[in-house]
Amino acid sequence: MTIPAPLTAECVLTDLAGGLAAARRFTRLALLAWTDGAAIDDALLIVTELATNALRHGGGDPVLRLSVDGTDVRIEVFDDSPAPPVRRPAGPDGGWGLTLVDRLASVRGTERHGRGKVVWCLLPASPAELAG
């Protein structure tokens, strides 16, 4: 089976309420177009967590980038803060975000990008799951 060329799309997130809704809608539509939909639920949870962190703590208008290369769904959230995300102790008042991302993703990382950073992760997407 041939693996399609990488597919990539971006969405700018402008505020917490509208940005999260836009991020989820964008993720659902992109993954429905690119895959059989098997990774959508996990991707939506990850996008919600990473976008929430960027909108609350990152500054500027964060950018969500999704890509599929035949083996993985890559989720990236860019923001203007150089500070890496901080894992809080998980408990009844929150702190589950990065723990959840780490449990769902095969790998997660943070890199400097311009004057800010990108927080990224990979979800498995076998070639058989890809459309077209």
Side-chain angles (χ1 to χ4, degrees):
M1 166 180 250
T2 51
I3 298 173
L7 303 167
T8 302
E10 293 183 354
C11 176
V12 176
L13 312 175
T14 56
D15 62 61
L16 191 57
L20 291 178
R24 287 191 290 263
R25 188 170 43 255
F26 170 77
T27 300
R28 179 177 298 283
L29 292 173
L31 294 184
L32 281 173
W34 297 344
T35 72
D36 70 357
I40 288 177
D41 290 339
D42 289 349
L44 289 172
L45 287 170
I46 289 170
V47 163
T48 299
E49 294 301 331
L50 297 182
T52 297
N53 286 347
L55 286 161
R56 285 188 177 158
H57 309 293
D61 290 336
V63 174
L64 166 63
R65 180 186 297 159
L66 301 175
S67 58
V68 177
D69 70 0
T71 58
D72 295 300
V73 174
R74 184 175 175 98
I75 299 169
E76 299 172 291
V77 178
F78 299 81
D79 66 44
D80 289 344
S81 171
V86 175
R87 182 189 304 267
R88 295 182 337 171
D93 295 326
W96 292 96
L98 292 177
T99 299
L100 177 65
V101 172
D102 287 342
R103 288 189 179 165
L104 295 174
S106 58
V107 64
R108 176 184 62 87
T110 303
E111 299 168 7
R112 292 284 308 221
H113 181 77
R115 39 175 230 249
K117 68 177 172 300
V118 57
V119 181
W120 59 271
C121 70
L122 300 177
L123 290 173
S126 69
E129 292 177 346
L130 294 177

